[in-house]
Amino acid sequence: MKKTILNLCLVGGIALATVACKNENNNAETTDAQEVASANEAAVEFVVDTTNSTIEWKGEKPAGSHNGVISISEGTFTANDSLIESGSFVINMNSIEVQDLEGDDKANLENHLKGTVEGKESDFFNVKEFPKATFEITGVNEVEGNTMLRGNLTMKGETKNVEFPVNIDVDGDELELTSESFTIDRTQWGIKFMSKSVMDNLGDKFISDDITLTVKVKAKKA
């Protein structure tokens, strides 16, 4: 159990705080929360297809990495032609799944990440107190030929605005939004377990602050 916990993947969360700029490592640009975007009257509503929408995550430490998925439980978008104007979705934190382990190792890590292990509730997500996270769009714009999506990510009671590159495809009654892989700093949402930027004398037992995320959302016209 101890070895598994130290080997912990770490999906510290989904988001950051007030600094962090996009660089060659695809770090999501993060600022304070911003005003949520609204749609014009001509925009069409799309409802998220939760069975085909997910968030992939990967966390690392010196000895290796872990990866998995988190489910999206509901959401809507409004779009005009091929451009999303507004929208939001809910992330089911109870659905955190580890995909690179099996058996007891898989269950132990998932329980630790969810915070269902007694005495370790707040190490990561504490799903009993914070069963869901949300993402609310604040804007979409083109930057050097890339489509950048901005939104307020709320997790564990903290809200930060993050920006990351996406591909958006609106084809008739269907909408598909797929992000490029990007990283966030989990400590900016108060997820500080085994972080060498917060704790001293960890040696090579630390877990990286950066978590790699890939958002894959499909939606259908309401």
Side-chain angles (χ1 to χ4, degrees), residues 52-159:
N52 290 299
S53 300
T54 191
I55 298 173
E56 299 174 356
W57 60 264
K58 181 178 180 181
E60 301 186 31
K61 59 166 292 180
S65 65
H66 292 291
N67 64 274
V69 295
I70 310 174
S71 298
I72 294 173
S73 59
E74 62 179 287
T76 58
F77 296 105
T78 56
N80 192 352
D81 295 324
S82 62
L83 180 66
I84 289 178
E85 295 189 357
S86 66
S88 64
F89 56 82
V90 176
I91 304 160
N92 177 9
M93 301 308 292
N94 280 288
S95 72
I96 296 171
E97 180 182 352
V98 176
Q99 294 186 318
D100 64 297
L101 296 175
E102 296 180 351
D104 289 344
D105 289 340
K106 172 183 171 71
N108 289 339
L109 181 52
E110 289 175 347
N111 290 336
H112 193 185
L113 293 172
K114 294 175 185 179
T116 57
V117 179
E118 185 175 358
K120 298 181 180 296
E121 292 83 357
S122 295
D123 283 355
F124 291 102
F125 294 111
N126 194 356
V127 298
K128 183 175 182 180
E129 185 173 353
F130 304 101
K132 62 184 180 181
T134 59
F135 183 83
E136 298 177 288
I137 293 173
T138 59
V140 181
N141 63 306
E142 297 291 325
V143 178
E144 297 180 352
N146 295 315
T147 301
M148 304 298 294
L149 177 68
R150 300 193 313 277
N152 293 332
L153 177 63
T154 300
M155 184 171 57
K156 289 194 74 174
E158 296 285 341
T159 302

